[in-house]
Amino acid sequence: MNNRELRPTVLILGKLPPPHMGPAIATQILLKSELASKYRLHHIDTRGIQDLSSFGKISLVKLRRYLVSYVELLLAHLRNRHALTLIPISQTPSGFLKDSVYILITKVFSAPFLVQVRGSEFGLMYANAGRILRKLVRFTVGMASGAIVLSERLRSMFEGIMPDEKIYVAWNGIDLPTIHKVARSGVIRITCISSLHPRKGIEDLIRAVAIVQSRYPEIVECSIGGGWTSNAFEREIETVIEETGADIRFLGVVTGESKLKLLSESDIFVFTPRRPEGHPWVIVEALAAGLPIIATDKGAIADCVLDGFNGFIVPDQSPEKIADALVKLIADDELRGRMADESHRHYLAKYTEKGMVENYITCFEHVLSER
């Protein structure tokens, strides 16, 4: 028997890009990581959409994709005995109902499994759920060998559902090449990369940039990368730009080399969502790029953006506070440079792919050893 056959088999459920959203990026990185040398990884793609315009909408195409993934999971359990199955679970009632089927299929085969939440709203969903849904959550999630969250501060999402000793933390991590900054004398470049959705605080950034550009009209540029989630929101933002006079470049979806190039040409990164987040990949990428970061305290963001150290944490829906933080960085080259250096050091210390994989191995081995 060769070494490959001796390795435990781990079945990973999860979306893959496109669209380039956090959970899909995470699955892609895990499958290509050093986990594959420690375990025999099998994967089932659970995505229901391939573009952001379909996000949050019910369609026959989505339903068909989910049915196909259920059949694939059933066949996977029939063909192989997996040492462990990793099942991401949604933070919306309809999404959780869909994901509970994956749990029930897995449990039929008495296969050990972990659930994972790639966000920070699961506890809120559970608290606001009706009696029947709450019972379903406790029943299905309660059968898991454990749960994985993105930050120590997110453990409380499973309060009343799962004991704390069965909750594991595995933050996001990625290996990025060293980004060599492109200097352009006299110009400060502000960048945001995000899906263009109302909850991401795009309007707040635009209003903040308008305030800053009125003070520094010749030296402040702002670029926003990302895809629109609806035509209505795009029109809404066009109205805000007309109202404020902000000079903004919209770049569309940026990935791969284009994203690295954009970060290399940036001086300040801004990501100020209004609603809860998980552990956004763009924040990790901005750390790796050595950028001072202005962000709101959502999900695990404050683990990465240490207020006053490598950036500023600002209140959500507060363009004036975002503008204040921008002015501090624009007016002080030394502060901007120091915070940039601290971001890169923070990335190397914690948020590389190696750090993420070590967290998953610790979690997997603990569960496997208990069995």
Side-chain angles (χ1 to χ4, degrees):
M1 186 176 291
N2 60 38
N3 288 337
R4 175 174 172 78
E5 291 172 331
L6 289 171
R7 287 179 293 165
T9 301
V10 176
L11 177 61
I12 295 179
L13 279 64
K15 305 174 177 70
L16 286 175
H20 291 270
M21 299 176 69
I25 294 169
T27 304
Q28 187 176 58
I29 292 173
L30 280 179
L31 293 173
K32 294 180 178 180
S33 74
E34 285 299 311
L35 277 180
S37 65
K38 179 78 173 176
Y39 309 99
R40 296 170 61 194
L41 300 183
H42 294 173
H43 172 247
I44 293 175
D45 189 354
T46 59
R47 70 184 141 175
I49 61 173
Q50 290 190 310
D51 63 86
L52 289 173
S53 63
S54 303
F55 187 74
K57 299 176 183 176
I58 297 175
S59 69
L60 290 177
V61 172
K62 269 190 186 181
L63 294 175
R64 185 169 64 249
R65 285 181 182 274
Y66 295 146
L67 289 173
V68 168
S69 67
Y70 295 150
V71 173
E72 289 179 346
L73 179 61
L74 180 63
L75 293 174
H77 283 307
L78 284 170
R79 292 168 179 164
N80 297 283
R81 183 173 177 82
H82 300 98
L84 188 63
T85 300
L86 179 62
I87 305 176
I89 53 176
S90 178
Q91 303 172 95
T92 65
S94 60
F96 183 81
L97 288 173
K98 179 253 305 175
D99 295 333
S100 67
V101 179
Y102 297 124
I103 294 176
L104 294 171
I105 291 173
T106 299
K107 193 59 183 176
V108 165
F109 293 88
S110 300
F113 68 94
L114 287 160
V115 295
Q116 180 172 32
V117 176
R118 289 202 157 274
S120 60
E121 295 182 82
F122 185 79
L124 182 63
M125 182 274 286
Y126 176 74
N128 293 332
R131 182 170 57 88
I132 294 176
L133 181 57
R134 287 167 67 93
K135 282 188 174 181
L136 178 64
V137 170
R138 290 195 299 272
F139 174 68
T140 53
V141 174
M143 293 188 290
S145 297
I148 301 177
V149 296
L150 290 165
S151 169
E152 289 288 343
R153 66 180 67 211
L154 299 180
R155 284 177 173 272
S156 60
M157 289 191 296
F158 285 93
E159 187 175 346
I161 305 171
M162 182 174 291
D164 189 69
E165 62 269 18
K166 294 177 66 175
I167 300 172
Y168 304 90
V169 177
W171 53 77
N172 288 331
I174 188 172
D175 287 345
L176 291 172
T178 300
I179 295 177
H180 300 286
K181 291 298 182 63
V182 177
R184 278 170 37 195
S185 178
V187 178
I188 302 295
R189 294 147 300 189
I190 301 166
T191 297
C192 172
I193 301 173
S194 170
S195 59
L196 304 184
H197 187 283
R199 66 180 289 150
K200 298 296 184 178
I202 304 301
E203 178 182 342
D204 303 324
L205 171 59
I206 291 169
R207 292 187 181 280
V209 168
I211 294 170
V212 173
Q213 286 178 336
S214 68
R215 182 168 177 177
Y216 301 97
E218 303 298 326
I219 67 167
V220 173
E221 297 178 355
C222 180
S223 299
I224 299 177
W228 295 100
T229 54
S230 74
N231 293 332
F233 184 57
E234 183 176 5
R235 290 192 297 271
E236 183 181 326
I237 290 301
E238 288 173 354
T239 300
V240 173
I241 290 174
E242 290 176 6
E243 173 194 332
T244 61
D247 183 10
I248 308 288
R249 283 196 311 154
F250 287 93
L251 307 175
V253 176
V254 287
T255 60
E257 292 298 321
S258 297
K259 183 186 286 188
L260 294 180
K261 183 176 184 294
L262 176 60
L263 293 172
S264 74
E265 295 173 347
S266 303
D267 298 293
I268 302 168
F269 192 82
V270 182
F271 184 69
T272 51
R274 296 176 170 184
R275 298 286 304 279
E277 290 281 329
H279 184 205
W281 285 101
V282 290
I283 294 288
V284 178
E285 290 163 342
L287 288 177
L291 293 173
I293 304 169
I294 299 170
T296 48
D297 184 7
K298 302 295 182 183
I301 289 178
D303 290 348
C304 290
V305 184
L306 309 179
D307 190 38
F309 185 71
N310 68 322
F312 296 105
I313 295 293
V314 296
D316 59 277
Q317 300 189 61
S318 181
E320 295 80 9
K321 296 296 184 181
I322 300 171
D324 289 344
L326 283 169
V327 168
K328 287 179 184 177
L329 289 168
I330 292 167
D332 192 333
D333 293 347
E334 183 180 347
L335 175 66
R336 197 168 64 249
R338 176 172 58 79
M339 286 189 165
D341 291 341
E342 295 298 349
S343 278
H344 193 249
R345 275 194 283 269
H346 194 36
Y347 161 74
L348 292 175
K350 190 170 182 180
Y351 296 109
T352 61
E353 184 179 297
K354 179 183 178 183
M356 177 183 71
V357 169
E358 286 175 351
N359 287 329
Y360 276 92
I361 290 175
T362 298
C363 170
F364 289 178
E365 289 302 304
H366 191 272
V367 172
L368 292 173
S369 67
E370 283 192 336
R371 299 190 66 84

